[in-house]
């Protein structure tokens, strides 16, 4: 089975520690989604600043206003 080009790009970006503007994490492999998302967080958020810079938003019931306020913060 051929590897997804987007997945290959994510792995290369993480290896080079040069992330792109956006990634979409989806699929049935919960472990892999969690693992790669954690690696992205570690590159983007300095240790000790997770509480201020790591926000989880649930798509169900999410409003544009809530998203905009979170991004502005």
């Amino acid at each position: 089975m051929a590897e997804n080009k987007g997945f290959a790009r994510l792995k290369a970006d993480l290896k080079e520690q040069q992330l792109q503007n956006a990634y979409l994490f989806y699929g049935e492999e919960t472990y892999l989604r969690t693992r790669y998302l954690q690696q992205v967080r570690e590159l983007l958020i300095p240790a000790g600043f997770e509480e201020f810079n790591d926000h989880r938003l649930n798509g169900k019931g999410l409003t544009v206003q809530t998203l905009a306020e979170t991004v502005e913060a």
Side-chain angles (χ1 to χ4, degrees):
M1 182 172 166
E3 185 171 322
N4 179 297
K5 288 182 182 181
F7 184 54
R9 176 67 184 262
L10 170 65
K11 291 192 314 185
D13 291 347
L14 287 168
K15 183 176 182 178
E16 296 170 11
Q17 297 188 352
Q18 295 292 321
L19 299 177
Q20 303 300 310
N21 290 333
Y23 296 95
L24 177 63
F25 293 84
Y26 67 94
E28 296 179 12
E29 293 289 341
T30 304
Y31 170 78
L32 290 177
R33 282 195 330 261
T34 302
R35 177 177 168 225
Y36 286 111
L37 185 55
Q38 183 59 39
Q39 289 179 345
V40 168
R41 284 184 179 120
E42 288 172 3
L43 282 174
L44 295 177
I45 303 171
F49 288 89
E50 296 88 358
E51 183 177 340
F52 301 106
N53 295 304
D54 189 7
H55 304 280
R56 289 180 176 238
L57 303 172
N58 187 348
K60 191 172 191 170
L62 178 64
T63 65
V64 173
Q65 180 178 352
T66 301
L67 178 60
E69 289 171 356
T70 303
V71 171
E72 290 293 322

